[in-house]
């Protein structure tokens, strides 16, 4: 038999939620085959079977929260078709002795456990938790009919006598006003959405966030893009020239000019980043994620467009890895794709600033002594005032504006 165990995905991830089982008990599985999807705070992970055989038992249902190291399923090696009858026969013959076993077994089992906990069948996570709590594994009553001790059994050990306390635990539900389901649709928050909510609130509460605005005349960028897009696409094997590469290049140039916008606070220190890893916010069905485009100062327009397109596809397909989301020094978010005219974006994690792009809208503006209709975009820079002074924030945004209104200058910055 082989255990399907929740793997370690990253140092900061200690648990996840079973999102979907793609196999059910009795199904045949191949070695390396994807059998369950796990939703974590950051990404969805596909857990595979390390053995070929039959999925014998599922130990955690969809929606259950499971710890890293927990056993969530059992795969029986070999082809179940070869031994269909013996398996149920053995299981049906076992119940009578199994009922009596707990009465006769405690003394010898405890004696054996006193010398070695290895005699007790338990998951790695259960052993770890037992060590931390100082619990003798032999004294834990497993729910598993085969006697396997799981982390849930260890966590519940010693709490059985306090069963009446379960009623007070239900009190909050009773105190909550009843919901009229004919008028209100109740939807459980996903783990991802809960994490997003918590982190955004943390940023608001732990930083001195301020937002400054400007507007950009997009006439020249749009004209340049219109003239060059076909040539660009042909030269770069189908890669399309979008606005994001222009904004990313302008941001990198502005970050070099105003390094405190590319910094972060670590304890009582300010860390000025000498790299330009730009996070690009991507909206998915599960919420907003911010994959990171690495070394944007070393990439050309086509490489930036390819990187953004590839990460956006991975996000929509739920294929992002933890590494795709870590280490960004600055973020760009584009609410304009949804029609937003103006917003105050919230900073991402420990970063010091975020640039918000918005929809392009034709407006009358003064050009010299004339009023002309131009395609204009409002841009917003939200920043941590603890690190960044108003002069630097305004100067940063003004630099971005000037480079985008004179896009040929971006070529000199590349």
């Amino acid at each position: 038999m082989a255990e399907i165990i929740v793997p370690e995905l990253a140092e900061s991830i200690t648990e996840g939620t079973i999102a979907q089982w793609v196999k059910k008990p009795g199904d045949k599985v191949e070695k390396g085959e994807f059998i369950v999807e796990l939703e974590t705070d950051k990404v969805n992970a596909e857990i595979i079977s390390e053995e070929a055989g039959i999925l014998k038992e599922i130990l955690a249902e969809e929606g259950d929260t499971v710890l890293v190291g927990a056993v969530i399923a059992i795969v029986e090696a070999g082809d179940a078709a070869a031994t269909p009858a013996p398996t149920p026969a053995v299981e049906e013959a076992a119940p009578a002795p199994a009922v009596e076993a707990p009465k006769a077994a405690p003394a010898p089992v405890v004696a054996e456990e006193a010398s070695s906990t290895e005699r007790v069948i338990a998951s790695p996570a259960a052993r770890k938790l037992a060590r931390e709590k100082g619990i003798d594994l032999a004294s834990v009553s497993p729910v598993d009919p085969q006697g396997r001790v799981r982390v849930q059994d260890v966590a519940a050990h010693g709490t059985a006598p306090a069963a009446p306390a379960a009623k007070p635990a239900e009190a909050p539900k009773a105190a909550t006003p009843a919901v009229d389901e004919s008028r209100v649709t109740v939807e459980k928050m996903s783990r991802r959405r809960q994490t997003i909510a918590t982190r955004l609130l943390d940023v608001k509460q732990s930083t001195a966030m301020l937002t400054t605005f400007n507007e950009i005349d997009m006439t020249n960028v749009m004209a340049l893009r219109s003239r060059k897009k076909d040539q660009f696409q042909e030269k770069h094997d189908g890669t399309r020239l979008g606005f994001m590469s222009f904004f990313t290049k302008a941001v990198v140039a502005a970050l070099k000019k105003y390094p405190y916008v590319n910094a972060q606070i670590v304890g009582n220190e300010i860390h000025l980043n000498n790299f330009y890893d730009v996070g690009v916010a991507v909206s998915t069905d599960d919420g907003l994620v911010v994959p990171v485009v690495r070394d944007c100062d070393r990439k050309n327009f086509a490489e930036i467009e390819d990187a953004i397109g590839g990460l956006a596809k991975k996000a929509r397909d739920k294929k992002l890895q933890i590494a795709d989301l870590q280490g960004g020094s600055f973020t760009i978010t584009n609410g304009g794709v949804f029609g937003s005219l103006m917003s105050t974006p919230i900073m991402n994690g420990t970063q010091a600033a975020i640039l918000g792009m918005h929809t392009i809208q034709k407006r009358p503006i003064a050009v010299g002594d004339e009023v002309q209709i131009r395609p204009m975009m409002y841009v917003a820079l939200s920043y941590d005032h603890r690190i960044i002074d108003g002069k630097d924030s305004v100067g940063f945004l003004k630099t971005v504006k000037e480079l985008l209104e004179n896009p040929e200058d971006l070529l000199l910055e590349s």
Side-chain angles (χ1 to χ4, degrees), residues 24 32 38 117 142 166 177 182 195 197 199 225-226 239 267 282 308 337 347 364 372 386 389 405:
K24 61 182 183 297
L38 183 72
T117 58
S182 67
T195 301
R199 290 181 178 172
R225 180 172 174 265
S226 180
T239 299
V282 177
I308 292 174
V337 296
M347 294 174 298
Q372 298 183 9
R386 297 177 302 164
D389 293 331
E405 290 184 343

Side-chain angles (χ1 to χ4, degrees), residues 355-376:
L355 178 72
M357 299 167 55
H358 300 92
T359 193
I360 299 173
Q361 187 178 70
K362 289 185 177 181
R363 296 197 297 273
I365 65 166
V367 180
D369 294 330
E370 299 180 353
V371 175
Q372 298 183 9
I373 304 298
R374 294 291 185 96
M376 305 297 293

Side-chain angles (χ1 to χ4, degrees), residues 65-340:
T65 296
V66 291
L67 299 176
V68 169
V71 178
I72 57 176
I74 303 294
V75 172
E76 189 173 50
D79 190 346
T83 57
T87 301
V90 171
E91 292 180 352
E92 291 186 12
V99 172
E100 299 175 4
K103 297 180 181 178
V109 171
V110 171
E112 290 177 355
E113 184 61 21
S115 61
S116 173
T117 58
E118 295 301 322
R119 295 180 181 275
V120 177
I121 302 174
S123 71
R127 292 185 183 280
K128 180 176 182 294
L129 186 59
R131 286 195 300 271
E132 292 174 351
K133 289 179 171 286
I135 295 174
D136 183 352
L137 280 175
S139 66
V140 177
S141 300
V143 176
D144 189 340
Q146 295 183 343
R148 187 187 316 277
V149 178
R150 299 179 297 161
V151 70
Q152 295 94 328
D153 301 323
V154 177
H157 180 70
T159 61
K167 292 182 179 179
E170 295 177 3
K173 294 183 180 178
T176 303
V179 175
D180 183 350
E181 295 186 1
S182 67
R183 294 168 59 84
V184 177
T185 299
V186 178
E187 183 178 290
K188 184 178 179 181
M189 287 182 72
S190 68
R191 173 175 292 276
R192 189 80 41 77
R193 177 60 61 186
Q194 292 178 51
T195 301
I196 291 171
T198 299
R199 290 181 178 172
L200 290 178
L201 190 59
D202 286 345
V203 170
K204 290 280 285 185
Q205 293 177 339
S206 62
T207 64
M209 196 179 82
L210 196 63
T211 304
T212 186
F213 301 90
N214 212 318
E215 61 178 350
I216 299 173
D217 183 347
M218 298 292 289
T219 300
N220 293 334
V221 169
M222 294 175 71
L224 177 60
R225 180 172 174 265
S226 180
R227 290 197 311 270
K228 298 293 185 179
K229 63 180 182 180
D230 292 338
Q231 180 184 343
F232 184 92
Q233 188 169 348
E234 182 179 351
K235 180 179 179 180
H236 297 289
D237 300 323
T239 299
R240 295 183 178 181
L241 179 61
F243 291 122
M244 286 304 299
S245 52
F246 286 95
F247 273 86
T248 303
K249 279 295 187 182
V251 159
V252 169
L255 289 175
K256 289 180 178 180
K257 188 174 181 180
Y258 297 96
Y260 283 91
V261 183
N262 199 39
Q264 64 187 88
I265 291 178
V266 179
N268 293 323
E269 299 175 339
I270 296 176
H271 289 197
L272 300 170
N273 297 315
N274 298 318
F275 57 89
Y276 304 91
D277 293 351
V278 178
V280 179
V282 177
S283 179
T284 71
D285 292 339
D286 295 327
L288 194 72
V289 292
V290 187
V292 178
V293 181
R294 310 289 174 185
D295 299 320
C296 290
D297 55 323
R298 302 178 186 178
K299 285 182 168 63
N300 59 31
F301 281 72
E303 289 169 335
I304 290 174
E305 293 288 355
D306 280 340
I308 292 174
L311 289 169
K313 185 177 186 305
K314 287 176 70 176
R316 289 189 293 268
D317 295 342
K318 300 182 180 180
K319 301 293 185 183
L320 284 175
Q321 303 297 312
I322 296 296
D324 295 326
L325 303 168
Q326 294 177 329
S329 62
F330 185 87
T331 295
I332 300 175
T333 182
N334 185 5
V337 296
F338 305 110
S340 172

